[in-house]
Amino acid sequence: MSSEKAEKEVIQSTEATELEQHHADQREEPTEEDYKTLREVPDSIPIAAYFVVLVEFCERFTYYGLIGPFQNYIQFPAPESYPADQPGAMGRGQQTATALTTFFQFWCYVTPIIGGIVADQYLGKYRAILLFGTIYMLGLIIITATSAPSSLETAALPGFVVSILIIGLGTGGIKANVSTLVAEQYQNKTPFVRTLKNGERVLVTPQATYQRIFSTFYWSINIGGMSAIATTTMEKNIGFWAAYLLPTCMFIPCLAIVILGRKKYVEVPPRGSVVLEAIKCIYYNAEINGPFSGLDKLDAVKPSQLAQTHPKWAAGATWDDTFVDELRRCLRACIVFCWYPIFWLCYVQMTNNLISQAATMLTGNIPNDIINNIDPFFVICFIPVMDRIIYPLLRRFGYPMRPITRIALGFFFGGLAMAYSAGIQVKIYETPPFYKYPGTNEGRNWISAAYQIPAYIFIAMSEIFASITGLEYAYKKAPQSMKSVVMSIFLFMNCIASLIGFALVPVAKDPTLPWMYTGIGVAAFICSILLYICHRGQDKTDIQDDAIGRSIDEIRTYGKKQADKTDDDDVEKSAA
């Protein structure tokens, strides 16, 4: 890419924020006293962010509409006719169903790394979303076609395996980019003082604004997640082909919104060698300070320092000092992400083992795999309460709940959900007529599935604290040119949770299920405590860390410098 083209792309990507920057220059800068006395509030969310939220709603409608029937589709045999008491298709049993759904979760969180690299290094977020959306659509067509009654006996299993591979690639590519694109629409990086109509002076901060953006974003995810109510009802009354056709049709407006909203999005263009730059910085730091040096010594790879200590390295550096500060902040965040597999392990039980648990309980005329929609229902209810009442109230009294505190609370509620599920499983085993083997001949013990509701409430609370905050944390702490890559690293933690889930498949059966839930719950409680102890200091520096970045002019200069350096390297290689 030529330097002129790179500069043009940077200018185009920042045009939408020039007016906002002009107003930002006229805003009142807060004093130390303002930080101590003024109420902290979020800024208004740009219209373009709501377009991205709408895209995410459609995609999540499709995703959750698909996975809702997966467990029954694999576990139980096809009924003689519909409506059916227990819908099914393949009849492969609970362990196979849990293994395949766990693999799908695993695959869906490996592929964001591919999507992140493609976006940050080659295509940019918008074009990456369009590419992976097209791939997604192909997988949807395959699973819908192979779930038709005439195809079930011969094509159900191979069609399912092929389709989840393709769909996993598509959803992963979208997932890594859409959650960063929504936050990218808000460009202000520094707090300022605003005077409200009633004369009250308030402190508007990016931290509160990003918290609201990601709460709104996650709220749309769970609105879309309610689609599983429709698809699980359709699988019971019509068949799986209808249950998969609905999300397939819903994905069409998703692609349409992406295309129609193209000119409204603010997007940082790809930088080409961003991943290589990060690897070089880490390698140079290991060479200079040793492989186990602390992050505080990363200043040694700043070009300003390299020019004095290693001039040859400095001459080849395409990054600047700010990038090194951003990378240090990012690496600290990635250490926090390493705790997340235990949280996601708690969450993933909702999509497989708790569905199977409901199948051993009395559900009346409600399909067993519709009950887990209690979780998105409570998430939808709780997010506005937290965002509009609880968080503002805490900020008003001078106790803003910073990221590490919220994440630790999320782990605690995840552990609580697993502890409660273990207790319910014990109660199921104590209930006739099948006691410890309720899955015998598809039998159900005489206990209401309503007992599961508190577990889903606890999971909902854990998502609000840990999952939403994780998305926010991944975006805020990532270098500006690596937002999608860092988001994909955060999402990859779900993949590790799936691997742990694979290891637990041998105990995901009667009568060892209580021990499995107990073990996961204890691990989550321990992680909650250790995470807070190890990382609580990052809450104190949250505002200062988030302020690291570049102005509009600096973004333009940075992009031009890298493009010029790339052109010079290309010329040298051609001459050689």
Side-chain angles (χ1 to χ4, degrees):
M1 180 187 295
S2 68
S3 60
E4 292 181 359
K5 184 177 180 182
E7 183 175 9
K8 182 179 178 182
E9 286 192 1
V10 174
I11 293 172
Q12 288 175 341
S13 71
T14 57
E15 270 183 350
T17 63
E18 294 263 350
L19 182 60
E20 182 180 343
Q21 183 68 24
H22 171 72
H23 290 308
D25 293 337
Q26 299 177 345
R27 291 166 178 166
E28 181 183 347
E29 185 177 347
T31 63
E32 289 297 326
E33 185 65 22
D34 290 333
Y35 279 110
K36 295 177 182 178
T37 60
L38 297 186
R39 179 165 61 95
E40 185 180 348
V41 299
D43 203 353
S44 56
I45 299 177
I47 295 295
Y50 287 107
F51 276 91
V52 183
V53 166
L54 193 56
V55 170
E56 180 67 358
F57 160 74
C58 294
E59 192 276 329
R60 291 291 91 181
F61 184 102
T62 299
Y63 178 82
Y64 285 109
L66 278 177
I67 66 170
F70 273 4
Q71 191 79 1
N72 283 350
Y73 187 61
I74 304 165
Q75 180 174 349
F76 298 105
E80 294 182 359
S81 62
Y82 288 94
D85 292 332
Q86 178 59 67
M90 301 185 197
R92 302 281 175 166
Q94 180 176 344
Q95 282 186 292
T96 302
T98 299
L100 283 174
T101 55
T102 302
F103 168 78
F104 182 62
Q105 294 284 336
F106 164 85
W107 178 237
C108 286
Y109 290 96
V110 170
T111 53
I113 293 179
I114 301 172
I117 293 174
V118 168
D120 282 343
Q121 195 153 324
Y122 300 106
L123 298 181
K125 297 177 184 64
Y126 171 79
R127 284 182 290 179
I129 290 172
L130 201 57
L131 169 66
F132 288 105
T134 304
I135 294 172
Y136 201 141
M137 190 69 196
L138 175 62
L140 292 171
I141 294 171
I142 292 174
I143 194 170
T144 304
T146 56
S147 63
S150 59
S151 304
L152 280 181
E153 289 188 8
T154 57
L157 182 58
F160 180 80
V161 172
V162 171
S163 63
I164 64 174
L165 289 172
I166 297 174
I167 290 169
L169 178 61
T171 190
I174 292 174
K175 192 187 296 288
N177 293 295
V178 72
S179 49
T180 55
L181 186 63
V182 68
E184 212 166 68
Q185 306 313 301
Y186 182 73
Q187 291 292 303
N188 182 51
K189 303 298 181 186
T190 56
F192 63 92
V193 176
R194 171 181 289 163
T195 303
L196 304 180
K197 292 181 179 180
N198 61 4
E200 181 188 4
R201 295 173 74 246
V202 294
L203 181 65
V204 181
T205 66
Q207 288 72 33
T209 306
Y210 284 127
Q211 191 173 339
R212 173 158 293 179
I213 287 173
F214 281 106
S215 291
T216 304
F217 181 78
Y218 205 79
W219 186 79
S220 74
I221 289 175
N222 283 272
I223 289 285
M226 298 294 285
S227 63
I229 295 177
T231 55
T232 50
T233 302
M234 293 170 78
E235 75 169 79
K236 183 180 177 69
N237 294 290
I238 305 173
F240 287 95
W241 67 270
Y244 295 144
L245 180 62
L246 176 63
T248 300
C249 293
M250 189 62 185
F251 198 70
I252 297 173
C254 175
L255 292 176
I257 295 168
V258 171
I259 295 170
L260 295 175
R262 178 178 183 178
K263 295 183 179 180
K264 297 184 180 295
Y265 303 133
V266 175
E267 184 187 1
V268 175
R271 271 186 42 80
S273 59
V274 58
V275 176
L276 183 61
E277 287 176 346
I279 293 173
K280 279 186 176 180
C281 286
I282 295 170
Y283 172 74
Y284 289 170
N285 181 61
E287 287 290 308
I288 296 170
N289 298 311
F292 302 105
S293 58
L295 295 177
D296 57 324
K297 295 184 178 181
L298 206 59
D299 284 347
V301 299
K302 289 183 175 180
S304 60
Q305 295 291 323
L306 288 175
Q308 301 174 21
T309 59
H310 298 78
K312 289 185 178 180
W313 288 354
T318 55
W319 59 90
D320 60 5
D321 288 4
T322 302
F323 178 79
V324 177
D325 290 331
E326 290 180 320
L327 183 62
R328 175 172 36 236
R329 178 186 65 187
C330 166
L331 293 174
R332 286 199 184 106
C334 289
I335 294 172
V336 175
F337 299 160
C338 292
W339 297 92
Y340 264 86
I342 299 301
F343 165 76
W344 290 121
L345 186 61
C346 295
Y347 174 82
V348 79
Q349 302 309 308
M350 180 183 69
T351 64
N352 44 48
N353 286 316
L354 289 184
I355 291 176
S356 297
Q357 185 185 72
T360 66
M361 306 170 79
L362 300 177
T363 61
N365 293 322
I366 300 174
N368 66 299
D369 51 2
I370 206 174
I371 296 175
N372 67 345
N373 287 280
I374 294 169
D375 167 72
F377 173 78
F378 279 105
V379 170
I380 292 166
C381 294
F382 290 159
I383 283 179
V385 174
M386 298 299 296
D387 184 55
R388 301 289 177 171
I389 300 175
I390 304 300
Y391 290 147
L393 190 64
L394 290 172
R395 287 194 290 262
R396 180 181 288 273
F397 287 102
Y399 296 101
M401 194 176 285
R402 297 299 179 198
I404 297 301
T405 303
R406 281 181 273 146
I407 292 171
L409 279 173
F411 276 72
F412 173 79
F413 278 106
L416 205 58
M418 291 301 97
Y420 181 84
S421 298
I424 293 302
Q425 192 66 51
V426 171
K427 191 170 182 64
I428 292 171
Y429 288 161
E430 293 174 349
T431 306
F434 297 99
Y435 295 99
K436 290 188 176 182
Y437 298 93
T440 305
N441 298 321
E442 300 179 22
R444 297 172 184 262
N445 283 350
W446 298 335
I447 177 173
S448 173
Y451 278 104
Q452 283 191 320
I453 293 176
Y456 288 116
I457 294 176
F458 294 142
I459 291 175
M461 291 302 299
S462 74
E463 288 182 73
I464 291 172
F465 285 120
S467 186
I468 296 177
T469 308
L471 293 171
E472 172 195 335
Y473 204 66
Y475 177 82
K476 292 196 307 177
K477 307 306 179 186
Q480 193 163 26
S481 53
M482 291 182 63
K483 298 293 187 185
S484 293
V485 171
V486 175
M487 186 64 72
S488 69
I489 293 173
F490 168 69
L491 296 172
F492 183 74
M493 298 302 108
N494 204 315
C495 164
I496 297 176
S498 296
L499 290 176
I500 300 173
F502 271 123
L504 294 176
V505 167
V507 295
K509 61 180 181 180
D510 300 323
T512 57
L513 284 167
W515 292 106
M516 185 193 71
Y517 292 130
T518 300
I520 297 172
V522 170
F525 284 131
I526 293 173
C527 287
S528 173
I529 297 169
L530 293 179
L531 186 150
Y532 183 75
I533 292 173
C534 294
H535 303 287
R536 59 183 175 179
Q538 294 186 32
D539 278 350
K540 298 177 182 178
T541 61
D542 186 50
I543 295 177
Q544 295 89 327
D545 288 344
D546 292 348
I548 299 172
R550 301 177 183 83
S551 67
I552 296 297
D553 291 337
E554 289 169 339
I555 294 173
R556 185 179 297 119
T557 302
Y558 185 47
K560 185 175 185 299
K561 175 186 174 183
Q562 195 274 345
D564 288 343
K565 179 64 181 175
T566 302
D567 287 346
D568 292 342
D569 290 344
D570 290 342
V571 170
E572 290 178 5
K573 289 178 182 178
S574 298

PDB file of all heavy atoms in Angstrom, residues 270-292:
ATOM      1  N   PRO A 270      -6.695  -1.115   8.542  1.00  0.00           N
ATOM      2  CA  PRO A 270      -5.683  -2.110   8.937  1.00  0.00           C
ATOM      3  C   PRO A 270      -4.281  -1.556   8.745  1.00  0.00           C
ATOM      4  O   PRO A 270      -4.033  -0.733   7.864  1.00  0.00           O
ATOM      5  CB  PRO A 270      -5.966  -3.280   7.988  1.00  0.00           C
ATOM      6  CG  PRO A 270      -6.638  -2.662   6.806  1.00  0.00           C
ATOM      7  CD  PRO A 270      -7.456  -1.529   7.348  1.00  0.00           C
ATOM      8  N   ARG A 271      -3.341  -2.034   9.598  1.00  0.00           N
ATOM      9  CA  ARG A 271      -1.964  -1.536   9.543  1.00  0.00           C
ATOM     10  C   ARG A 271      -0.993  -2.520   8.912  1.00  0.00           C
ATOM     11  O   ARG A 271       0.187  -2.243   8.795  1.00  0.00           O
ATOM     12  CB  ARG A 271      -1.481  -1.186  10.953  1.00  0.00           C
ATOM     13  CG  ARG A 271      -1.803   0.245  11.332  1.00  0.00           C
ATOM     14  CD  ARG A 271      -1.208   0.629  12.659  1.00  0.00           C
ATOM     15  NE  ARG A 271       0.140   0.169  12.899  1.00  0.00           N
ATOM     16  CZ  ARG A 271       1.245   0.751  12.419  1.00  0.00           C
ATOM     17  NH1 ARG A 271       1.144   1.781  11.623  1.00  0.00           N
ATOM     18  NH2 ARG A 271       2.431   0.264  12.724  1.00  0.00           N
ATOM     19  N   GLY A 272      -1.450  -3.676   8.519  1.00  0.00           N
ATOM     20  CA  GLY A 272      -0.592  -4.596   7.776  1.00  0.00           C
ATOM     21  C   GLY A 272       0.306  -5.455   8.633  1.00  0.00           C
ATOM     22  O   GLY A 272       0.187  -6.671   8.634  1.00  0.00           O
ATOM     23  N   SER A 273       1.202  -4.850   9.396  1.00  0.00           N
ATOM     24  CA  SER A 273       2.202  -5.638  10.136  1.00  0.00           C
ATOM     25  C   SER A 273       2.000  -5.557  11.638  1.00  0.00           C
ATOM     26  O   SER A 273       2.944  -5.720  12.397  1.00  0.00           O
ATOM     27  CB  SER A 273       3.605  -5.132   9.783  1.00  0.00           C
ATOM     28  OG  SER A 273       3.741  -3.763  10.111  1.00  0.00           O
ATOM     29  N   VAL A 274       0.780  -5.312  12.075  1.00  0.00           N
ATOM     30  CA  VAL A 274       0.538  -5.023  13.487  1.00  0.00           C
ATOM     31  C   VAL A 274       0.919  -6.190  14.395  1.00  0.00           C
ATOM     32  O   VAL A 274       1.524  -5.997  15.452  1.00  0.00           O
ATOM     33  CB  VAL A 274      -0.929  -4.606  13.692  1.00  0.00           C
ATOM     34  CG1 VAL A 274      -1.893  -5.679  13.233  1.00  0.00           C
ATOM     35  CG2 VAL A 274      -1.184  -4.255  15.135  1.00  0.00           C
ATOM     36  N   VAL A 275       0.567  -7.422  14.004  1.00  0.00           N
ATOM     37  CA  VAL A 275       0.905  -8.581  14.837  1.00  0.00           C
ATOM     38  C   VAL A 275       2.418  -8.778  14.885  1.00  0.00           C
ATOM     39  O   VAL A 275       2.994  -9.055  15.946  1.00  0.00           O
ATOM     40  CB  VAL A 275       0.210  -9.850  14.299  1.00  0.00           C
ATOM     41  CG1 VAL A 275       0.624 -11.072  15.101  1.00  0.00           C
ATOM     42  CG2 VAL A 275      -1.307  -9.680  14.341  1.00  0.00           C
ATOM     43  N   LEU A 276       3.063  -8.595  13.737  1.00  0.00           N
ATOM     44  CA  LEU A 276       4.522  -8.711  13.688  1.00  0.00           C
ATOM     45  C   LEU A 276       5.185  -7.658  14.566  1.00  0.00           C
ATOM     46  O   LEU A 276       6.194  -7.934  15.234  1.00  0.00           O
ATOM     47  CB  LEU A 276       5.004  -8.581  12.244  1.00  0.00           C
ATOM     48  CG  LEU A 276       6.507  -8.740  12.000  1.00  0.00           C
ATOM     49  CD1 LEU A 276       6.961 -10.130  12.443  1.00  0.00           C
ATOM     50  CD2 LEU A 276       6.840  -8.505  10.532  1.00  0.00           C
ATOM     51  N   GLU A 277       4.627  -6.445  14.591  1.00  0.00           N
ATOM     52  CA  GLU A 277       5.171  -5.390  15.440  1.00  0.00           C
ATOM     53  C   GLU A 277       5.128  -5.792  16.912  1.00  0.00           C
ATOM     54  O   GLU A 277       6.107  -5.596  17.648  1.00  0.00           O
ATOM     55  CB  GLU A 277       4.396  -4.091  15.225  1.00  0.00           C
ATOM     56  CG  GLU A 277       4.681  -3.392  13.915  1.00  0.00           C
ATOM     57  CD  GLU A 277       3.828  -2.159  13.707  1.00  0.00           C
ATOM     58  OE1 GLU A 277       2.840  -1.984  14.438  1.00  0.00           O
ATOM     59  OE2 GLU A 277       4.157  -1.371  12.808  1.00  0.00           O
ATOM     60  N   ALA A 278       4.001  -6.335  17.333  1.00  0.00           N
ATOM     61  CA  ALA A 278       3.859  -6.758  18.728  1.00  0.00           C
ATOM     62  C   ALA A 278       4.855  -7.870  19.060  1.00  0.00           C
ATOM     63  O   ALA A 278       5.490  -7.867  20.128  1.00  0.00           O
ATOM     64  CB  ALA A 278       2.430  -7.221  18.993  1.00  0.00           C
ATOM     65  N   ILE A 279       5.000  -8.833  18.146  1.00  0.00           N
ATOM     66  CA  ILE A 279       5.942  -9.940  18.372  1.00  0.00           C
ATOM     67  C   ILE A 279       7.371  -9.414  18.453  1.00  0.00           C
ATOM     68  O   ILE A 279       8.169  -9.838  19.309  1.00  0.00           O
ATOM     69  CB  ILE A 279       5.811 -10.990  17.254  1.00  0.00           C
ATOM     70  CG1 ILE A 279       4.436 -11.670  17.333  1.00  0.00           C
ATOM     71  CG2 ILE A 279       6.928 -12.035  17.350  1.00  0.00           C
ATOM     72  CD1 ILE A 279       4.146 -12.600  16.172  1.00  0.00           C
ATOM     73  N   LYS A 280       7.714  -8.476  17.578  1.00  0.00           N
ATOM     74  CA  LYS A 280       9.058  -7.899  17.606  1.00  0.00           C
ATOM     75  C   LYS A 280       9.330  -7.183  18.926  1.00  0.00           C
ATOM     76  O   LYS A 280      10.420  -7.305  19.505  1.00  0.00           O
ATOM     77  CB  LYS A 280       9.232  -6.920  16.439  1.00  0.00           C
ATOM     78  CG  LYS A 280       9.547  -7.575  15.107  1.00  0.00           C
ATOM     79  CD  LYS A 280       9.834  -6.509  14.050  1.00  0.00           C
ATOM     80  CE  LYS A 280      10.248  -7.137  12.732  1.00  0.00           C
ATOM     81  NZ  LYS A 280      10.529  -6.091  11.704  1.00  0.00           N
ATOM     82  N   CYS A 281       8.345  -6.423  19.410  1.00  0.00           N
ATOM     83  CA  CYS A 281       8.527  -5.715  20.678  1.00  0.00           C
ATOM     84  C   CYS A 281       8.794  -6.694  21.820  1.00  0.00           C
ATOM     85  O   CYS A 281       9.688  -6.468  22.648  1.00  0.00           O
ATOM     86  CB  CYS A 281       7.292  -4.866  20.990  1.00  0.00           C
ATOM     87  SG  CYS A 281       7.122  -3.378  19.990  1.00  0.00           S
ATOM     88  N   ILE A 282       8.016  -7.773  21.862  1.00  0.00           N
ATOM     89  CA  ILE A 282       8.190  -8.766  22.924  1.00  0.00           C
ATOM     90  C   ILE A 282       9.551  -9.462  22.781  1.00  0.00           C
ATOM     91  O   ILE A 282      10.259  -9.692  23.773  1.00  0.00           O
ATOM     92  CB  ILE A 282       7.040  -9.795  22.882  1.00  0.00           C
ATOM     93  CG1 ILE A 282       5.702  -9.098  23.200  1.00  0.00           C
ATOM     94  CG2 ILE A 282       7.287 -10.937  23.861  1.00  0.00           C
ATOM     95  CD1 ILE A 282       4.479  -9.958  22.959  1.00  0.00           C
ATOM     96  N   TYR A 283       9.935  -9.771  21.547  1.00  0.00           N
ATOM     97  CA  TYR A 283      11.228 -10.432  21.305  1.00  0.00           C
ATOM     98  C   TYR A 283      12.398  -9.518  21.686  1.00  0.00           C
ATOM     99  O   TYR A 283      13.344  -9.947  22.371  1.00  0.00           O
ATOM    100  CB  TYR A 283      11.334 -10.839  19.842  1.00  0.00           C
ATOM    101  CG  TYR A 283      12.699 -11.354  19.456  1.00  0.00           C
ATOM    102  CD1 TYR A 283      13.125 -12.624  19.850  1.00  0.00           C
ATOM    103  CD2 TYR A 283      13.574 -10.562  18.705  1.00  0.00           C
ATOM    104  CE1 TYR A 283      14.388 -13.093  19.505  1.00  0.00           C
ATOM    105  CE2 TYR A 283      14.829 -11.025  18.359  1.00  0.00           C
ATOM    106  CZ  TYR A 283      15.234 -12.289  18.761  1.00  0.00           C
ATOM    107  OH  TYR A 283      16.486 -12.746  18.428  1.00  0.00           O
ATOM    108  N   TYR A 284      12.340  -8.267  21.247  1.00  0.00           N
ATOM    109  CA  TYR A 284      13.411  -7.329  21.585  1.00  0.00           C
ATOM    110  C   TYR A 284      13.522  -7.132  23.093  1.00  0.00           C
ATOM    111  O   TYR A 284      14.634  -7.044  23.637  1.00  0.00           O
ATOM    112  CB  TYR A 284      13.164  -5.975  20.922  1.00  0.00           C
ATOM    113  CG  TYR A 284      13.357  -5.958  19.416  1.00  0.00           C
ATOM    114  CD1 TYR A 284      12.966  -4.858  18.652  1.00  0.00           C
ATOM    115  CD2 TYR A 284      13.949  -7.021  18.751  1.00  0.00           C
ATOM    116  CE1 TYR A 284      13.140  -4.829  17.281  1.00  0.00           C
ATOM    117  CE2 TYR A 284      14.123  -7.005  17.374  1.00  0.00           C
ATOM    118  CZ  TYR A 284      13.719  -5.905  16.643  1.00  0.00           C
ATOM    119  OH  TYR A 284      13.903  -5.881  15.292  1.00  0.00           O
ATOM    120  N   ASN A 285      12.378  -7.082  23.770  1.00  0.00           N
ATOM    121  CA  ASN A 285      12.399  -6.922  25.226  1.00  0.00           C
ATOM    122  C   ASN A 285      13.065  -8.126  25.891  1.00  0.00           C
ATOM    123  O   ASN A 285      13.840  -7.980  26.847  1.00  0.00           O
ATOM    124  CB  ASN A 285      10.977  -6.744  25.757  1.00  0.00           C
ATOM    125  CG  ASN A 285      10.941  -6.541  27.259  1.00  0.00           C
ATOM    126  OD1 ASN A 285      11.507  -5.587  27.782  1.00  0.00           O
ATOM    127  ND2 ASN A 285      10.280  -7.453  27.970  1.00  0.00           N
ATOM    128  N   ALA A 286      12.772  -9.325  25.392  1.00  0.00           N
ATOM    129  CA  ALA A 286      13.396 -10.540  25.950  1.00  0.00           C
ATOM    130  C   ALA A 286      14.900 -10.540  25.701  1.00  0.00           C
ATOM    131  O   ALA A 286      15.679 -10.974  26.558  1.00  0.00           O
ATOM    132  CB  ALA A 286      12.750 -11.775  25.339  1.00  0.00           C
ATOM    133  N   GLU A 287      15.328 -10.040  24.537  1.00  0.00           N
ATOM    134  CA  GLU A 287      16.749  -9.990  24.221  1.00  0.00           C
ATOM    135  C   GLU A 287      17.485  -8.988  25.109  1.00  0.00           C
ATOM    136  O   GLU A 287      18.612  -9.222  25.538  1.00  0.00           O
ATOM    137  CB  GLU A 287      16.948  -9.616  22.745  1.00  0.00           C
ATOM    138  CG  GLU A 287      16.609 -10.721  21.769  1.00  0.00           C
ATOM    139  CD  GLU A 287      17.601 -11.866  21.824  1.00  0.00           C
ATOM    140  OE1 GLU A 287      18.818 -11.613  21.723  1.00  0.00           O
ATOM    141  OE2 GLU A 287      17.162 -13.024  21.993  1.00  0.00           O
ATOM    142  N   ILE A 288      16.805  -7.863  25.380  1.00  0.00           N
ATOM    143  CA  ILE A 288      17.459  -6.796  26.152  1.00  0.00           C
ATOM    144  C   ILE A 288      17.413  -7.072  27.650  1.00  0.00           C
ATOM    145  O   ILE A 288      18.427  -6.957  28.355  1.00  0.00           O
ATOM    146  CB  ILE A 288      16.792  -5.436  25.850  1.00  0.00           C
ATOM    147  CG1 ILE A 288      16.997  -5.062  24.378  1.00  0.00           C
ATOM    148  CG2 ILE A 288      17.360  -4.338  26.744  1.00  0.00           C
ATOM    149  CD1 ILE A 288      16.186  -3.866  23.928  1.00  0.00           C
ATOM    150  N   ASN A 289      16.235  -7.450  28.149  1.00  0.00           N
ATOM    151  CA  ASN A 289      16.031  -7.563  29.601  1.00  0.00           C
ATOM    152  C   ASN A 289      15.925  -8.988  30.109  1.00  0.00           C
ATOM    153  O   ASN A 289      15.795  -9.210  31.317  1.00  0.00           O
ATOM    154  CB  ASN A 289      14.758  -6.805  30.005  1.00  0.00           C
ATOM    155  CG  ASN A 289      14.850  -5.318  29.697  1.00  0.00           C
ATOM    156  OD1 ASN A 289      15.837  -4.671  30.039  1.00  0.00           O
ATOM    157  ND2 ASN A 289      13.819  -4.775  29.055  1.00  0.00           N
ATOM    158  N   GLY A 290      15.934  -9.972  29.199  1.00  0.00           N
ATOM    159  CA  GLY A 290      15.773 -11.357  29.620  1.00  0.00           C
ATOM    160  C   GLY A 290      14.353 -11.833  29.375  1.00  0.00           C
ATOM    161  O   GLY A 290      13.400 -11.028  29.368  1.00  0.00           O
ATOM    162  N   PRO A 291      14.142 -13.141  29.184  1.00  0.00           N
ATOM    163  CA  PRO A 291      12.814 -13.673  28.826  1.00  0.00           C
ATOM    164  C   PRO A 291      11.767 -13.539  29.924  1.00  0.00           C
ATOM    165  O   PRO A 291      10.573 -13.613  29.642  1.00  0.00           O
ATOM    166  CB  PRO A 291      13.100 -15.150  28.519  1.00  0.00           C
ATOM    167  CG  PRO A 291      14.370 -15.451  29.258  1.00  0.00           C
ATOM    168  CD  PRO A 291      15.169 -14.192  29.254  1.00  0.00           C
ATOM    169  N   PHE A 292      12.190 -13.344  31.177  1.00  0.00           N
ATOM    170  CA  PHE A 292      11.230 -13.278  32.270  1.00  0.00           C
ATOM    171  C   PHE A 292      11.186 -11.889  32.909  1.00  0.00           C
ATOM    172  O   PHE A 292      10.828 -11.732  34.068  1.00  0.00           O
ATOM    173  CB  PHE A 292      11.556 -14.330  33.333  1.00  0.00           C
ATOM    174  CG  PHE A 292      11.584 -15.731  32.804  1.00  0.00           C
ATOM    175  CD1 PHE A 292      12.789 -16.389  32.596  1.00  0.00           C
ATOM    176  CD2 PHE A 292      10.401 -16.382  32.483  1.00  0.00           C
ATOM    177  CE1 PHE A 292      12.824 -17.680  32.095  1.00  0.00           C
ATOM    178  CE2 PHE A 292      10.422 -17.677  31.978  1.00  0.00           C
ATOM    179  CZ  PHE A 292      11.633 -18.331  31.784  1.00  0.00           C
TER     180      PHE A 292
END
